[in-house]
Amino acid sequence: MPKGLLGIEGIERDEIEQILERARAFQPHGGQTFAKVNTCTGRLVVNMFFENSTRTRSSFEIAAKRLGADTLSITASGSSVSKGESLVDTINTLVAMRPSAIVMRHAASGAPHFLSRHLTTPIVNAGDGTHEHPTQALLDARTILDRCGRLEGLRVAIIGDIAHSRVARSNIHLLAKFGVDLVLCGPPMLLPREMARVASGVTLEYDLRRAVKDADVIMMLRVQLERIHEPAMPAGEYFRFYGLRQEHMALARPDAIVMHPGPMNRGREISSEVADSQQSMILNQVENGVSVRMAVLERVLLQ
Amino acid sequence: MKLLIQNGRVICPETGHDAVADVLIEDGRIAGVGPGLSTSGAEVIDAAGLVVAPGFIDIHVHLREPGFEHAETIETGAQAAAAGGFTTVCCMPNTNPVNDSVTVTKYIVETARRKAAINVFPIGAITKGSNGEELASIGSMIAAGAVAISDDGKPVMNARVIRRAMETARALDIPVIEHCEDLNLSAGGDMHECDDSVRLGLRGIPSASEDVMVARDIILAELTGVRYHVAHISTKNAVAMVAYAKQRGLRVTAEATQHHIALDTGHMKPYDSAYKMKPPLRCEHDVKAVVDGVVSGAIDCLATDHAPHAGDDKMQEFERCPFGIIGLETALGVSLEVLVHSGLISLPRLIALYTSEPARVIGWKNELARGALKPGYVGDVTVFHPEYPWVYDVKNSLSKSSNTPFSGRTFQGGPILTIVGGQVVWRADGF
């Protein structure tokens, strides 16, 4: 059965390394744009976005086009799903059009896994509910490598709404495979105790100052208000206790970098001062998104 | 009309009988049990090498009619029950309309009388529409044939309302069967709250959601003196609380389902809707506690919580598909494997869990007396092989639905013959 990419948890470290290495080859230099490599000419990639996304969808589209593949993008509001058609029927219809791969974002955890049991078309998970966002973790790893030169032995703090973050889960799985010292930090409601057992090398911390101490990498996460079904901490209080500010950067390693998968809420989880600082890798992450997705798509399309 | 079942190992936990013997059913009632009964005028069935037991009783099934006939009907659910060795089932009221009135109760009783291969007894709703607010017409439903009350599928969240229901049930001498779940604690949850739920990004249902309701209800059961029954018990703390209530002499009973004694979260195939049910599959220590509860007697009986859902409804993303699995045809195979072949309990004890014990929970008396091979009792008999290997293929199920995690599983032992009121209503292929 053709292999897609459903998550980071289920893939080996050497496969990750190969993707990251290939992504490096796709990175543009200086003021250049992404080179058009045309290794996947004639392939069709269907982007199924059942949940709103501009950043990730655009990134996948650009990646496919740079590889020379044809793309078709469908969003939930414009698909038959909004008319009551089931996910299986929608995808079966599309499969009949013979795509080479399906890139799927879905609000339900496990939706791509559910489909992969019914389809032979490879599926690339572009984010499923609160489960995984594998290409985000890969682009984050590429970004860390670009700046730090290694993953092994780093101390990475992931701060914010861990409970609802697919970005956090994928990053935890990926970084744990490389022996990273991982600190997860957030308010108790957004940081379940079970997270400490998701992968090896993970510790939980409820105090931001202790979490960022000596960190090489600080990953900030958005509070996903749309997924929280209980009264959330007031915004002002959240920023006071868990918002990353310049004062915290003094506790981290001097060359520490700051990351954020976006969309970013300035003044809620991160101060503008930090977001716009030299240590901020936020735009590098966006750029690496394209090269990593080129590597992932090429791997899936050329198998 | 005479039916003589000859030479089987007759096991009746209620009478303590366990020996090779004959069972005679005459005019729909048990007429005699003993060796060498006369065959004169009787249809004779040779049960040599088989176990002959009282007809199995399942006090917790969903037959989906009226309202959801695409998933199951009283007729098809009864056929599946017969194929599982069940001669009596009690169906929960979460139909559409909800069985909260004499009209619906009578509809079920009447449809069952015309179409069901086995005995079907409705369970009436506790509250109107099972909305948990206003008591349903409980007395009238009982008079029309309902045997208990429950809002199964939902708990009664309002403690005052469940108290009043218990007082009413106490006066009518019927059990209150509660689906124990604090909806605020379990809100939005899809599986048991544990390491796996966090890893899979699925919202969790904590054990505490069951525990707090069992605790509340036991307190109110003591206050009211009602016969209170915990449906599909699944947590270690809930089992401990039921055991404690029994020690204190309260009239508290509980049932466990086959899936809660056989499967834990570690058995789940990620995002496979065949593993989505309420209560959810729990952790290993909970499953052990439930099994221990069955062994010790803290848990009174077994039930299936047979919950059919049509294919399209279950063929959805895990978070979106409904809760519940079917279970009537696998109950004996699963429970033999988990409890008897493992050496935890004896075969007679297992039979008690499906016969005399559920009969006691409901409290059938007089002409409805069932669950034992005693002269005068209803002539319902289950004949099964305790060891023969067979593979359960849900494609051959008599249920209209196929939502089960047990398809493809090999069992050692299963039903051979199901007899209701002296009539054979189902027999295994080749027998």
Side-chain angles (χ1 to χ4, degrees), chain B residues 157-224:
Chain B
M157 285 295 290
N158 186 317
R160 183 183 52 78
V161 173
I162 194 75
R163 177 198 175 169
R164 298 304 178 212
M166 287 179 173
E167 289 166 344
T168 306
R170 167 85 169 90
L172 293 166
D173 193 24
I174 53 159
V176 170
I177 302 174
E178 177 82 304
H179 169 118
C180 294
E181 175 187 6
D182 184 305
L183 294 175
N184 296 313
L185 284 170
S186 63
D190 294 303
M191 67 173 285
H192 176 58
E193 183 177 295
C194 60
D195 291 1
D196 287 332
S197 65
V198 168
R199 187 173 56 81
L200 295 170
L202 294 170
R203 292 177 69 191
I205 299 172
S207 297
S209 77
E210 179 168 322
D211 300 341
V212 298
M213 289 301 270
V214 171
R216 180 202 74 173
D217 284 353
I218 287 174
I219 290 165
L220 293 173
E222 179 165 22
L223 178 70
T224 59

Side-chain angles (χ1 to χ4, degrees), chain A residues 12-27:
Chain A
E12 301 294 329
R13 173 175 164 156
D14 64 347
E15 199 170 343
I16 293 168
E17 286 172 332
Q18 287 165 26
I19 294 169
L20 295 176
E21 190 56 33
R22 184 62 177 152
R24 196 160 70 123
F26 290 134
Q27 285 178 322

Side-chain angles (χ1 to χ4, degrees), chain B residues 93-354:
Chain B
N94 55 343
T95 47
N96 185 20
V98 167
N99 181 18
D100 61 1
S101 67
V102 170
T103 308
V104 182
T105 301
K106 280 186 172 170
Y107 171 83
I108 294 168
V109 168
E110 197 47 37
T111 305
R113 189 185 62 75
R114 285 188 293 111
K115 296 188 172 176
I118 62 159
N119 309 294
V120 174
F121 291 94
I123 293 171
I126 297 173
T127 59
K128 286 186 180 171
S130 286
N131 284 328
E133 291 165 8
E134 190 182 346
L135 290 188
S137 313
I138 296 169
S140 303
M141 287 190 292
I142 298 301
V147 292
I149 53 171
S150 177
D151 275 354
D152 187 56
K154 295 178 187 174
V156 178
M157 285 295 290
N158 186 317
R160 183 183 52 78
V161 173
I162 194 75
R163 177 198 175 169
R164 298 304 178 212
M166 287 179 173
E167 289 166 344
T168 306
R170 167 85 169 90
L172 293 166
D173 193 24
I174 53 159
V176 170
I177 302 174
E178 177 82 304
H179 169 118
C180 294
E181 175 187 6
D182 184 305
L183 294 175
N184 296 313
L185 284 170
S186 63
D190 294 303
M191 67 173 285
H192 176 58
E193 183 177 295
C194 60
D195 291 1
D196 287 332
S197 65
V198 168
R199 187 173 56 81
L200 295 170
L202 294 170
R203 292 177 69 191
I205 299 172
S207 297
S209 77
E210 179 168 322
D211 300 341
V212 298
M213 289 301 270
V214 171
R216 180 202 74 173
D217 284 353
I218 287 174
I219 290 165
L220 293 173
E222 179 165 22
L223 178 70
T224 59
V226 73
R227 284 196 283 135
Y228 167 70
H229 181 74
V230 180
H232 43 49
I233 198 164
S234 73
T235 71
K236 186 177 177 179
N237 284 341
V239 174
M241 285 187 277
V242 167
Y244 178 61
K246 280 187 155 80
Q247 278 173 21
R248 296 184 54 229
L250 304 183
R251 300 205 296 170
V252 172
T253 57
E255 80 202 13
T257 72
Q258 57 185 317
H259 44 279
H260 289 117
I261 61 171
L263 304 172
D264 60 44
T265 51
H267 293 98
M268 290 177 71
K269 289 184 188 162
Y271 309 113
D272 185 339
S273 64
Y275 293 84
K276 183 173 176 179
M277 67 284 281
K278 263 196 184 175
L281 295 178
R282 300 288 187 187
C283 286
E284 207 175 345
H285 73 269
D286 287 310
V287 174
K288 184 176 183 311
V290 173
V291 170
D292 288 349
V294 172
V295 173
S296 71
I299 295 170
D300 301 81
C301 64
L302 296 170
T304 66
D305 191 6
H306 177 79
H309 290 289
D312 290 351
D313 292 335
K314 271 288 195 182
M315 273 279 280
Q316 294 189 72
E317 302 86 320
F318 194 84
E319 292 177 16
R320 293 175 184 175
C321 72
F323 293 90
I325 61 168
I326 59 170
L328 286 164
E329 291 159 305
T330 50
L332 180 57
V334 172
S335 43
L336 276 169
E337 177 185 315
V338 174
L339 299 169
V340 178
H341 299 326
S342 62
L344 290 175
I345 64 172
S346 66
L347 192 54
R349 177 63 189 153
L350 178 70
I351 293 169
L353 293 167
Y354 279 121

